[in-house]
Amino acid sequence: MALLSAQNLVLRFGGPPLFDGASFDIEAGERVCLVGRNGEGKSTLLKVLSGEIGVESGEVIRRNGTRVSRLIQEIPPHIEGTVRDIVLGKDSGERRNTGEAVLGKTGLPADALYDTLSGGQKRRVLIAKALVAEPDLLLLDEPTNHLDIVSIQWLEGILARAPFAILFVSHDRAF
């Protein structure tokens, strides 16, 4: 069974359908990129797959126990806490070691306040938070936005070694 299966998804927001019978499967470990014009529904599809919004008809079926993590396109302007607080959350269990390892790879001081960081640094924190969730499927919406070349290479390295499936939206064809 596929990790995630979208079957005959239909969604419209008052006008013509954004999706009309969209169907696909994502297998464990698979890498999928969606490229398209602005306003075509790519970000909306990620919201549907993460369960944030529903569809008019069709269904999204996840294999039992599948963990999905999503990086949103926008950088939230204000999040309280330090880099460590945001990346690790309140998790003090098994994922703490993984979280500390990911935190160290961000290249940011763990005690830096999120609100004092640049846009690219905030993006790194949010990427790290998504990775610490140890997803089976990682949904990335324009993950290279706000990142400099070094940060994009950092992200490429992490994703190249990642054992989980990735579905990402990008205008960066080289990525």
Side-chain angles (χ1 to χ4, degrees):
M1 176 181 179
L3 188 63
L4 181 139
S5 181
Q7 298 179 352
N8 297 311
L9 302 181
V10 176
L11 179 65
R12 74 185 87 234
F13 293 112
L18 202 52
F19 318 133
D20 190 7
S23 297
F24 57 89
D25 293 332
I26 299 175
E27 301 292 337
E30 189 171 19
R31 307 303 199 244
V32 180
C33 178
L34 284 175
V35 178
R37 293 184 298 240
N38 291 336
E40 296 292 321
K42 300 177 303 294
S43 297
T44 301
L45 178 62
L46 295 184
K47 290 177 186 176
V48 168
L49 299 179
S50 69
E52 292 174 51
I53 63 173
V55 291
E56 291 175 37
S57 64
E59 62 182 327
V60 175
I61 302 168
R62 292 185 191 161
R63 189 168 58 199
N64 253 355
T66 298
R67 292 182 313 267
V68 177
S69 185
R70 184 170 84 90
L71 175 71
I72 63 174
Q73 184 173 4
E74 304 81 26
I75 295 176
H78 179 71
I79 297 178
E80 298 257 338
T82 65
V83 169
R84 174 177 274 109
D85 296 337
I86 293 162
V87 171
L88 300 181
K90 297 182 184 194
D91 190 5
S92 60
E94 297 173 11
R95 292 188 196 156
R96 187 139 188 104
N97 288 340
T98 302
E100 290 289 345
V102 171
L103 179 62
K105 291 177 185 173
T106 65
L108 300 171
D111 58 350
L113 292 174
Y114 177 84
D115 283 344
T116 65
L117 302 175
S118 71
Q121 291 171 325
K122 288 178 180 178
R123 193 71 167 165
R124 276 183 166 222
V125 170
L126 298 173
I127 291 166
K129 180 180 179 178
L131 294 171
V132 167
E134 295 184 346
D136 299 301
L137 173 59
L138 180 60
L139 305 174
L140 300 171
D141 198 347
E142 294 291 349
T144 60
N145 279 3
H146 307 285
L147 296 182
D148 59 16
I149 299 292
V150 171
S151 296
I152 291 171
Q153 291 169 339
W154 166 79
L155 179 59
E156 287 174 341
I158 287 174
L159 297 180
R161 294 183 304 276
F164 43 78
I166 303 168
L167 169 60
F168 63 99
V169 169
S170 183
H171 289 104
D172 182 350
R173 290 182 186 264
F175 181 74

